[in-house]
mmCIF file of all heavy atoms in Angstrom:
data_model
loop_
_atom_site.group_PDB
_atom_site.id
_atom_site.type_symbol
_atom_site.label_atom_id
_atom_site.label_comp_id
_atom_site.label_asym_id
_atom_site.label_seq_id
_atom_site.Cartn_x
_atom_site.Cartn_y
_atom_site.Cartn_z
ATOM 1 N N TYR A 69 -8.576 -0.231 -4.850
ATOM 2 C CA TYR A 69 -7.573 0.837 -5.187
ATOM 3 C C TYR A 69 -6.638 0.393 -6.244
ATOM 4 O O TYR A 69 -6.358 -0.756 -6.411
ATOM 5 C CB TYR A 69 -6.696 1.155 -3.917
ATOM 6 C CG TYR A 69 -7.459 1.310 -2.609
ATOM 7 C CD1 TYR A 69 -7.836 0.131 -1.830
ATOM 8 C CD2 TYR A 69 -7.735 2.562 -2.067
ATOM 9 C CE1 TYR A 69 -8.516 0.354 -0.661
ATOM 10 C CE2 TYR A 69 -8.409 2.688 -0.841
ATOM 11 C CZ TYR A 69 -8.760 1.590 -0.150
ATOM 12 O OH TYR A 69 -9.420 1.762 1.077
ATOM 13 N N TRP A 70 -6.092 1.377 -7.005
ATOM 14 C CA TRP A 70 -5.054 1.165 -7.846
ATOM 15 C C TRP A 70 -3.885 2.080 -7.421
ATOM 16 O O TRP A 70 -4.114 3.282 -7.292
ATOM 17 C CB TRP A 70 -5.338 1.452 -9.307
ATOM 18 C CG TRP A 70 -5.957 0.259 -10.075
ATOM 19 C CD1 TRP A 70 -7.253 0.121 -10.347
ATOM 20 C CD2 TRP A 70 -5.275 -0.941 -10.535
ATOM 21 N NE1 TRP A 70 -7.425 -1.082 -11.034
ATOM 22 C CE2 TRP A 70 -6.223 -1.732 -11.169
ATOM 23 C CE3 TRP A 70 -3.932 -1.360 -10.539
ATOM 24 C CZ2 TRP A 70 -6.008 -2.927 -11.749
ATOM 25 C CZ3 TRP A 70 -3.675 -2.537 -11.188
ATOM 26 C CH2 TRP A 70 -4.648 -3.312 -11.731
ATOM 27 N N TYR A 71 -2.688 1.512 -7.186
ATOM 28 C CA TYR A 71 -1.481 2.239 -6.923
ATOM 29 C C TYR A 71 -0.470 2.067 -7.951
ATOM 30 O O TYR A 71 -0.404 0.975 -8.582
ATOM 31 C CB TYR A 71 -0.847 1.812 -5.568
ATOM 32 C CG TYR A 71 -1.738 2.117 -4.314
ATOM 33 C CD1 TYR A 71 -2.728 1.328 -3.862
ATOM 34 C CD2 TYR A 71 -1.442 3.335 -3.652
ATOM 35 C CE1 TYR A 71 -3.389 1.628 -2.744
ATOM 36 C CE2 TYR A 71 -2.232 3.585 -2.435
ATOM 37 C CZ TYR A 71 -3.178 2.712 -2.050
ATOM 38 O OH TYR A 71 -3.930 3.093 -0.922
ATOM 39 N N GLN A 72 0.413 2.968 -8.160
ATOM 40 C CA GLN A 72 1.495 2.989 -9.141
ATOM 41 C C GLN A 72 2.708 3.059 -8.318
ATOM 42 O O GLN A 72 2.840 4.044 -7.491
ATOM 43 C CB GLN A 72 1.381 3.998 -10.216
ATOM 44 C CG GLN A 72 2.421 4.009 -11.251
ATOM 45 C CD GLN A 72 2.173 5.022 -12.344
ATOM 46 O OE1 GLN A 72 1.153 5.493 -12.467
ATOM 47 N NE2 GLN A 72 3.242 5.316 -13.094
ATOM 48 N N GLN A 73 3.704 2.279 -8.604
ATOM 49 C CA GLN A 73 5.002 2.404 -7.902
ATOM 50 C C GLN A 73 6.165 2.229 -8.865
ATOM 51 O O GLN A 73 6.298 1.289 -9.515
ATOM 52 C CB GLN A 73 5.169 1.368 -6.746
ATOM 53 C CG GLN A 73 6.283 1.667 -5.905
ATOM 54 C CD GLN A 73 6.865 0.509 -5.142
ATOM 55 O OE1 GLN A 73 6.513 -0.655 -5.401
ATOM 56 N NE2 GLN A 73 7.692 0.723 -4.141
ATOM 57 N N ASP A 74 7.057 3.208 -8.861
ATOM 58 C CA ASP A 74 8.318 3.129 -9.577
ATOM 59 C C ASP A 74 9.354 2.638 -8.604
ATOM 60 O O ASP A 74 9.227 2.792 -7.385
ATOM 61 C CB ASP A 74 8.749 4.500 -10.175
ATOM 62 C CG ASP A 74 7.810 4.939 -11.230
ATOM 63 O OD1 ASP A 74 7.316 4.114 -12.035
ATOM 64 O OD2 ASP A 74 7.477 6.170 -11.258
ATOM 65 N N PRO A 75 10.377 1.979 -9.117
ATOM 66 C CA PRO A 75 11.411 1.391 -8.163
ATOM 67 C C PRO A 75 11.990 2.373 -7.218
ATOM 68 O O PRO A 75 12.401 3.450 -7.513
ATOM 69 C CB PRO A 75 12.508 0.970 -9.191
ATOM 70 C CG PRO A 75 11.746 0.616 -10.490
ATOM 71 C CD PRO A 75 10.766 1.760 -10.512
ATOM 72 N N GLY A 76 11.996 1.979 -5.889
ATOM 73 C CA GLY A 76 12.395 2.794 -4.826
ATOM 74 C C GLY A 76 11.606 4.060 -4.456
ATOM 75 O O GLY A 76 12.075 4.887 -3.706
ATOM 76 N N MET A 77 10.480 4.101 -5.078
ATOM 77 C CA MET A 77 9.527 5.283 -4.780
ATOM 78 C C MET A 77 8.304 4.836 -3.972
ATOM 79 O O MET A 77 8.080 3.630 -3.789
ATOM 80 C CB MET A 77 9.175 5.862 -6.132
ATOM 81 C CG MET A 77 10.211 6.303 -6.983
ATOM 82 S SD MET A 77 11.330 7.590 -6.203
ATOM 83 C CE MET A 77 10.157 9.020 -6.363
ATOM 84 N N GLU A 78 7.572 5.832 -3.576
ATOM 85 C CA GLU A 78 6.339 5.476 -2.756
ATOM 86 C C GLU A 78 5.268 4.962 -3.677
ATOM 87 O O GLU A 78 5.368 4.977 -4.901
ATOM 88 C CB GLU A 78 5.885 6.721 -2.082
ATOM 89 C CG GLU A 78 5.418 7.828 -2.984
ATOM 90 C CD GLU A 78 5.364 9.176 -2.331
ATOM 91 O OE1 GLU A 78 6.428 9.825 -2.397
ATOM 92 O OE2 GLU A 78 4.349 9.517 -1.742
ATOM 93 N N LEU A 79 4.285 4.360 -3.027
ATOM 94 C CA LEU A 79 3.095 3.906 -3.762
ATOM 95 C C LEU A 79 2.155 5.149 -3.945
ATOM 96 O O LEU A 79 1.681 5.752 -2.952
ATOM 97 C CB LEU A 79 2.334 2.825 -2.913
ATOM 98 C CG LEU A 79 2.855 1.425 -2.959
ATOM 99 C CD1 LEU A 79 4.103 1.249 -2.241
ATOM 100 C CD2 LEU A 79 1.757 0.492 -2.401
ATOM 101 N N HIS A 80 1.885 5.467 -5.175
ATOM 102 C CA HIS A 80 1.022 6.600 -5.439
ATOM 103 C C HIS A 80 -0.418 6.117 -5.810
ATOM 104 O O HIS A 80 -0.598 5.233 -6.703
ATOM 105 C CB HIS A 80 1.522 7.366 -6.674
ATOM 106 C CG HIS A 80 2.791 8.138 -6.316
ATOM 107 N ND1 HIS A 80 2.782 9.346 -5.564
ATOM 108 C CD2 HIS A 80 4.113 7.975 -6.666
ATOM 109 C CE1 HIS A 80 3.941 9.879 -5.541
ATOM 110 N NE2 HIS A 80 4.813 9.081 -6.140
ATOM 111 N N LEU A 81 -1.448 6.584 -5.067
ATOM 112 C CA LEU A 81 -2.732 6.292 -5.382
ATOM 113 C C LEU A 81 -3.189 6.940 -6.674
ATOM 114 O O LEU A 81 -3.139 8.149 -6.777
ATOM 115 C CB LEU A 81 -3.676 6.712 -4.212
ATOM 116 C CG LEU A 81 -5.117 6.348 -4.340
ATOM 117 C CD1 LEU A 81 -5.345 4.814 -4.270
ATOM 118 C CD2 LEU A 81 -5.940 7.034 -3.268
ATOM 119 N N ILE A 82 -3.582 6.191 -7.766
ATOM 120 C CA ILE A 82 -4.031 6.746 -8.968
ATOM 121 C C ILE A 82 -5.546 6.606 -9.111
ATOM 122 O O ILE A 82 -6.132 7.368 -9.861
ATOM 123 C CB ILE A 82 -3.243 6.161 -10.100
ATOM 124 C CG1 ILE A 82 -3.301 4.619 -10.156
ATOM 125 C CG2 ILE A 82 -1.882 6.626 -10.139
ATOM 126 C CD1 ILE A 82 -2.689 4.007 -11.396
ATOM 127 N N HIS A 83 -6.271 5.547 -8.573
ATOM 128 C CA HIS A 83 -7.650 5.469 -8.675
ATOM 129 C C HIS A 83 -8.118 4.773 -7.479
ATOM 130 O O HIS A 83 -7.469 3.892 -6.885
ATOM 131 C CB HIS A 83 -8.064 4.594 -9.909
ATOM 132 C CG HIS A 83 -7.698 5.200 -11.237
ATOM 133 N ND1 HIS A 83 -8.353 6.210 -11.791
ATOM 134 C CD2 HIS A 83 -6.682 4.843 -12.035
ATOM 135 C CE1 HIS A 83 -7.816 6.547 -12.961
ATOM 136 N NE2 HIS A 83 -6.802 5.762 -13.166
ATOM 137 N N TYR A 84 -9.403 5.075 -7.052
ATOM 138 C CA TYR A 84 -10.029 4.274 -6.030
ATOM 139 C C TYR A 84 -11.586 4.241 -6.266
ATOM 140 O O TYR A 84 -12.179 5.077 -6.996
ATOM 141 C CB TYR A 84 -9.695 4.775 -4.620
ATOM 142 C CG TYR A 84 -10.025 6.179 -4.317
ATOM 143 C CD1 TYR A 84 -11.237 6.515 -3.587
ATOM 144 C CD2 TYR A 84 -9.191 7.189 -4.734
ATOM 145 C CE1 TYR A 84 -11.488 7.808 -3.247
ATOM 146 C CE2 TYR A 84 -9.474 8.506 -4.443
ATOM 147 C CZ TYR A 84 -10.653 8.825 -3.719
ATOM 148 O OH TYR A 84 -10.969 10.130 -3.388
ATOM 149 N N SER A 85 -12.173 3.284 -5.634
ATOM 150 C CA SER A 85 -13.623 2.967 -5.763
ATOM 151 C C SER A 85 -14.204 2.623 -4.435
ATOM 152 O O SER A 85 -13.618 1.843 -3.680
ATOM 153 C CB SER A 85 -13.839 1.956 -6.821
ATOM 154 O OG SER A 85 -15.166 1.478 -6.777
ATOM 155 N N TYR A 86 -15.448 3.137 -4.146
ATOM 156 C CA TYR A 86 -16.006 2.846 -2.851
ATOM 157 C C TYR A 86 -17.184 1.757 -3.067
ATOM 158 O O TYR A 86 -17.767 1.393 -2.133
ATOM 159 C CB TYR A 86 -16.646 4.085 -2.207
ATOM 160 C CG TYR A 86 -15.628 5.035 -1.794
ATOM 161 C CD1 TYR A 86 -15.699 6.368 -2.114
ATOM 162 C CD2 TYR A 86 -14.520 4.585 -1.084
ATOM 163 C CE1 TYR A 86 -14.682 7.320 -1.749
ATOM 164 C CE2 TYR A 86 -13.495 5.554 -0.692
ATOM 165 C CZ TYR A 86 -13.635 6.884 -0.963
ATOM 166 O OH TYR A 86 -12.616 7.722 -0.647
ATOM 167 N N GLY A 87 -17.426 1.411 -4.363
ATOM 168 C CA GLY A 87 -18.384 0.393 -4.652
ATOM 169 C C GLY A 87 -18.748 0.428 -6.041
ATOM 170 O O GLY A 87 -18.167 1.234 -6.896
ATOM 171 N N VAL A 88 -19.752 -0.352 -6.444
ATOM 172 C CA VAL A 88 -20.147 -0.412 -7.859
ATOM 173 C C VAL A 88 -20.521 0.997 -8.383
ATOM 174 O O VAL A 88 -21.228 1.691 -7.700
ATOM 175 C CB VAL A 88 -21.288 -1.430 -8.033
ATOM 176 C CG1 VAL A 88 -21.934 -1.397 -9.376
ATOM 177 C CG2 VAL A 88 -20.865 -2.814 -7.669
ATOM 178 N N ASN A 89 -20.061 1.233 -9.563
ATOM 179 C CA ASN A 89 -20.358 2.518 -10.254
ATOM 180 C C ASN A 89 -19.716 3.738 -9.556
ATOM 181 O O ASN A 89 -20.123 4.868 -9.907
ATOM 182 C CB ASN A 89 -21.829 2.758 -10.489
ATOM 183 C CG ASN A 89 -22.449 1.712 -11.391
ATOM 184 O OD1 ASN A 89 -21.798 1.256 -12.327
ATOM 185 N ND2 ASN A 89 -23.750 1.322 -11.166
ATOM 186 N N SER A 90 -18.859 3.580 -8.631
ATOM 187 C CA SER A 90 -18.158 4.607 -8.008
ATOM 188 C C SER A 90 -16.707 4.569 -8.298
ATOM 189 O O SER A 90 -15.979 3.483 -8.055
ATOM 190 C CB SER A 90 -18.306 4.477 -6.421
ATOM 191 O OG SER A 90 -17.185 5.005 -5.758
ATOM 192 N N THR A 91 -16.090 5.608 -8.958
ATOM 193 C CA THR A 91 -14.683 5.720 -9.144
ATOM 194 C C THR A 91 -14.242 7.087 -8.985
ATOM 195 O O THR A 91 -14.915 8.069 -9.280
ATOM 196 C CB THR A 91 -14.239 5.205 -10.567
ATOM 197 O OG1 THR A 91 -14.914 6.055 -11.509
ATOM 198 C CG2 THR A 91 -14.623 3.723 -10.874
ATOM 199 N N GLU A 92 -13.039 7.182 -8.379
ATOM 200 C CA GLU A 92 -12.535 8.557 -8.130
ATOM 201 C C GLU A 92 -10.960 8.557 -8.551
ATOM 202 O O GLU A 92 -10.319 7.493 -8.481
ATOM 203 C CB GLU A 92 -12.521 8.910 -6.723
ATOM 204 C CG GLU A 92 -13.944 8.917 -6.038
ATOM 205 C CD GLU A 92 -14.685 10.150 -6.469
ATOM 206 O OE1 GLU A 92 -14.045 11.120 -6.978
ATOM 207 O OE2 GLU A 92 -15.913 10.195 -6.355
ATOM 208 N N LYS A 93 -10.518 9.681 -9.006
ATOM 209 C CA LYS A 93 -9.105 9.799 -9.259
ATOM 210 C C LYS A 93 -8.302 9.922 -7.956
ATOM 211 O O LYS A 93 -8.766 10.413 -6.955
ATOM 212 C CB LYS A 93 -8.823 11.198 -10.018
ATOM 213 C CG LYS A 93 -9.438 11.244 -11.399
ATOM 214 C CD LYS A 93 -8.503 10.488 -12.369
ATOM 215 C CE LYS A 93 -9.019 10.694 -13.855
ATOM 216 N NZ LYS A 93 -8.139 9.885 -14.772
ATOM 217 N N GLY A 94 -7.072 9.441 -7.970
ATOM 218 C CA GLY A 94 -6.297 9.412 -6.763
ATOM 219 C C GLY A 94 -5.415 10.654 -6.686
ATOM 220 O O GLY A 94 -5.719 11.661 -7.415
ATOM 221 N N ASP A 95 -4.359 10.640 -5.905
ATOM 222 C CA ASP A 95 -3.602 11.799 -5.705
ATOM 223 C C ASP A 95 -2.541 12.033 -6.791
ATOM 224 O O ASP A 95 -2.111 13.136 -7.003
ATOM 225 C CB ASP A 95 -2.721 11.586 -4.380
ATOM 226 C CG ASP A 95 -3.669 11.451 -3.190
ATOM 227 O OD1 ASP A 95 -4.700 12.206 -3.151
ATOM 228 O OD2 ASP A 95 -3.351 10.672 -2.349
ATOM 229 N N LEU A 96 -2.255 10.995 -7.561
ATOM 230 C CA LEU A 96 -1.321 11.096 -8.644
ATOM 231 C C LEU A 96 -2.104 11.139 -9.991
ATOM 232 O O LEU A 96 -2.884 10.158 -10.188
ATOM 233 C CB LEU A 96 -0.284 9.957 -8.676
ATOM 234 C CG LEU A 96 0.783 9.987 -9.802
ATOM 235 C CD1 LEU A 96 1.752 11.179 -9.581
ATOM 236 C CD2 LEU A 96 1.613 8.777 -9.717
ATOM 237 N N SER A 97 -1.913 12.069 -10.738
ATOM 238 C CA SER A 97 -2.631 12.190 -11.978
ATOM 239 C C SER A 97 -2.183 11.016 -12.866
ATOM 240 O O SER A 97 -0.967 10.718 -13.026
ATOM 241 C CB SER A 97 -2.235 13.502 -12.760
ATOM 242 O OG SER A 97 -2.883 13.562 -14.023
ATOM 243 N N SER A 98 -3.140 10.375 -13.558
ATOM 244 C CA SER A 98 -2.778 9.210 -14.407
ATOM 245 C C SER A 98 -3.666 9.308 -15.637
ATOM 246 O O SER A 98 -4.810 9.708 -15.603
ATOM 247 C CB SER A 98 -3.064 7.906 -13.650
ATOM 248 O OG SER A 98 -2.876 6.838 -14.500
ATOM 249 N N GLU A 99 -3.136 8.852 -16.771
ATOM 250 C CA GLU A 99 -3.766 8.844 -17.998
ATOM 251 C C GLU A 99 -4.674 7.602 -18.133
ATOM 252 O O GLU A 99 -5.476 7.450 -19.073
ATOM 253 C CB GLU A 99 -2.915 8.908 -19.214
ATOM 254 C CG GLU A 99 -2.259 10.326 -19.312
ATOM 255 C CD GLU A 99 -1.057 10.331 -20.236
ATOM 256 O OE1 GLU A 99 -0.551 9.322 -20.676
ATOM 257 O OE2 GLU A 99 -0.575 11.425 -20.472
ATOM 258 N N SER A 100 -4.625 6.720 -17.143
ATOM 259 C CA SER A 100 -5.406 5.548 -17.156
ATOM 260 C C SER A 100 -6.829 5.801 -16.711
ATOM 261 O O SER A 100 -7.129 6.806 -16.084
ATOM 262 C CB SER A 100 -4.786 4.500 -16.284
ATOM 263 O OG SER A 100 -4.683 4.932 -14.934
ATOM 264 N N THR A 101 -7.761 4.842 -17.097
ATOM 265 C CA THR A 101 -9.118 4.900 -16.538
ATOM 266 C C THR A 101 -9.446 3.614 -15.905
ATOM 267 O O THR A 101 -8.907 2.594 -16.111
ATOM 268 C CB THR A 101 -10.124 5.212 -17.735
ATOM 269 O OG1 THR A 101 -9.935 4.144 -18.728
ATOM 270 C CG2 THR A 101 -9.806 6.472 -18.434
ATOM 271 N N VAL A 102 -10.504 3.636 -15.065
ATOM 272 C CA VAL A 102 -10.919 2.429 -14.418
ATOM 273 C C VAL A 102 -12.475 2.287 -14.450
ATOM 274 O O VAL A 102 -13.148 3.285 -14.835
ATOM 275 C CB VAL A 102 -10.570 2.430 -12.891
ATOM 276 C CG1 VAL A 102 -9.114 2.318 -12.747
ATOM 277 C CG2 VAL A 102 -11.049 3.690 -12.247
ATOM 278 N N SER A 103 -13.042 1.157 -14.229
ATOM 279 C CA SER A 103 -14.444 0.935 -14.140
ATOM 280 C C SER A 103 -14.695 0.039 -13.000
ATOM 281 O O SER A 103 -13.876 -0.758 -12.625
ATOM 282 C CB SER A 103 -14.992 0.365 -15.432
ATOM 283 O OG SER A 103 -14.353 -0.906 -15.697
ATOM 284 N N ARG A 104 -15.954 0.130 -12.483
ATOM 285 C CA ARG A 104 -16.399 -0.836 -11.374
ATOM 286 C C ARG A 104 -17.843 -1.200 -11.619
ATOM 287 O O ARG A 104 -18.717 -0.682 -11.038
ATOM 288 C CB ARG A 104 -16.182 -0.065 -10.033
ATOM 289 C CG ARG A 104 -16.443 -1.060 -8.809
ATOM 290 C CD ARG A 104 -15.108 -1.630 -8.426
ATOM 291 N NE ARG A 104 -15.269 -2.555 -7.291
ATOM 292 C CZ ARG A 104 -15.281 -2.244 -6.023
ATOM 293 N NH1 ARG A 104 -15.215 -0.964 -5.690
ATOM 294 N NH2 ARG A 104 -15.432 -3.135 -5.126
ATOM 295 N N ILE A 105 -18.020 -2.162 -12.434
ATOM 296 C CA ILE A 105 -19.320 -2.612 -12.845
ATOM 297 C C ILE A 105 -19.784 -3.729 -11.933
ATOM 298 O O ILE A 105 -20.994 -3.855 -11.671
ATOM 299 C CB ILE A 105 -19.344 -3.087 -14.282
ATOM 300 C CG1 ILE A 105 -18.980 -1.910 -15.254
ATOM 301 C CG2 ILE A 105 -20.672 -3.659 -14.757
ATOM 302 C CD1 ILE A 105 -18.697 -2.325 -16.686
ATOM 303 N N ARG A 106 -18.807 -4.525 -11.386
ATOM 304 C CA ARG A 106 -19.122 -5.511 -10.456
ATOM 305 C C ARG A 106 -18.229 -5.268 -9.187
ATOM 306 O O ARG A 106 -17.099 -4.748 -9.274
ATOM 307 C CB ARG A 106 -18.810 -6.861 -11.045
ATOM 308 C CG ARG A 106 -19.530 -7.232 -12.238
ATOM 309 C CD ARG A 106 -19.591 -8.682 -12.588
ATOM 310 N NE ARG A 106 -18.305 -9.336 -12.424
ATOM 311 C CZ ARG A 106 -17.463 -9.595 -13.348
ATOM 312 N NH1 ARG A 106 -17.694 -9.149 -14.605
ATOM 313 N NH2 ARG A 106 -16.302 -10.192 -13.133
ATOM 314 N N THR A 107 -18.716 -5.687 -8.038
ATOM 315 C CA THR A 107 -17.952 -5.484 -6.828
ATOM 316 C C THR A 107 -16.628 -6.064 -6.844
ATOM 317 O O THR A 107 -15.625 -5.553 -6.352
ATOM 318 C CB THR A 107 -18.789 -6.073 -5.620
ATOM 319 O OG1 THR A 107 -20.006 -5.442 -5.431
ATOM 320 C CG2 THR A 107 -18.011 -5.961 -4.310
ATOM 321 N N GLU A 108 -16.492 -7.235 -7.449
ATOM 322 C CA GLU A 108 -15.250 -8.033 -7.374
ATOM 323 C C GLU A 108 -14.253 -7.677 -8.448
ATOM 324 O O GLU A 108 -13.116 -8.159 -8.407
ATOM 325 C CB GLU A 108 -15.583 -9.536 -7.523
ATOM 326 C CG GLU A 108 -16.179 -9.979 -8.784
ATOM 327 C CD GLU A 108 -17.728 -9.913 -8.749
ATOM 328 O OE1 GLU A 108 -18.266 -9.193 -7.898
ATOM 329 O OE2 GLU A 108 -18.288 -10.598 -9.594
ATOM 330 N N HIS A 109 -14.642 -6.716 -9.322
ATOM 331 C CA HIS A 109 -13.734 -6.519 -10.531
ATOM 332 C C HIS A 109 -13.426 -5.101 -10.692
ATOM 333 O O HIS A 109 -14.348 -4.190 -10.661
ATOM 334 C CB HIS A 109 -14.442 -7.128 -11.744
ATOM 335 C CG HIS A 109 -13.601 -7.267 -12.935
ATOM 336 N ND1 HIS A 109 -14.030 -7.188 -14.235
ATOM 337 C CD2 HIS A 109 -12.316 -7.636 -13.024
ATOM 338 C CE1 HIS A 109 -13.074 -7.382 -15.109
ATOM 339 N NE2 HIS A 109 -12.023 -7.705 -14.343
ATOM 340 N N PHE A 110 -12.111 -4.627 -10.837
ATOM 341 C CA PHE A 110 -11.669 -3.294 -10.947
ATOM 342 C C PHE A 110 -10.629 -3.167 -11.926
ATOM 343 O O PHE A 110 -9.478 -2.981 -11.618
ATOM 344 C CB PHE A 110 -11.326 -2.811 -9.575
ATOM 345 C CG PHE A 110 -11.084 -1.386 -9.342
ATOM 346 C CD1 PHE A 110 -12.001 -0.426 -10.009
ATOM 347 C CD2 PHE A 110 -10.109 -0.834 -8.602
ATOM 348 C CE1 PHE A 110 -11.844 0.944 -9.756
ATOM 349 C CE2 PHE A 110 -9.894 0.563 -8.437
ATOM 350 C CZ PHE A 110 -10.797 1.389 -8.987
ATOM 351 N N PRO A 111 -10.987 -3.255 -13.263
ATOM 352 C CA PRO A 111 -9.860 -3.258 -14.229
ATOM 353 C C PRO A 111 -9.382 -1.820 -14.519
ATOM 354 O O PRO A 111 -10.090 -0.855 -14.350
ATOM 355 C CB PRO A 111 -10.605 -3.777 -15.500
ATOM 356 C CG PRO A 111 -12.052 -3.498 -15.260
ATOM 357 C CD PRO A 111 -12.288 -3.512 -13.788
ATOM 358 N N LEU A 112 -8.161 -1.629 -14.936
ATOM 359 C CA LEU A 112 -7.525 -0.463 -15.232
ATOM 360 C C LEU A 112 -7.093 -0.420 -16.770
ATOM 361 O O LEU A 112 -6.538 -1.383 -17.188
ATOM 362 C CB LEU A 112 -6.289 -0.209 -14.343
ATOM 363 C CG LEU A 112 -5.518 1.000 -14.546
ATOM 364 C CD1 LEU A 112 -4.856 1.627 -13.263
ATOM 365 C CD2 LEU A 112 -4.311 0.856 -15.579
ATOM 366 N N THR A 113 -7.390 0.539 -17.493
ATOM 367 C CA THR A 113 -7.180 0.645 -18.922
ATOM 368 C C THR A 113 -6.338 1.843 -19.349
ATOM 369 O O THR A 113 -6.500 2.924 -18.868
ATOM 370 C CB THR A 113 -8.540 0.715 -19.727
ATOM 371 O OG1 THR A 113 -9.278 -0.484 -19.415
ATOM 372 C CG2 THR A 113 -8.301 0.729 -21.167
#
Side-chain angles (χ1 to χ4, degrees):
Chain A
Y69 313 83
W70 276 103
Y71 291 88
Q72 182 177 343
Q73 190 202 15
D74 294 322
M77 303 296 287
E78 65 201 89
L79 278 72
H80 288 287
L81 181 68
I82 52 174
H83 298 283
Y84 59 100
S85 168
Y86 295 131
V88 171
N89 294 326
S90 149
T91 60
E92 300 285 344
K93 294 279 190 183
D95 300 322
L96 180 69
S97 175
S98 174
E99 293 166 349
S100 59
T101 58
V102 293
S103 62
R104 189 90 184 274
I105 298 171
R106 303 198 315 266
T107 298
E108 62 270 20
H109 196 211
F110 192 39
L112 180 145
T113 298

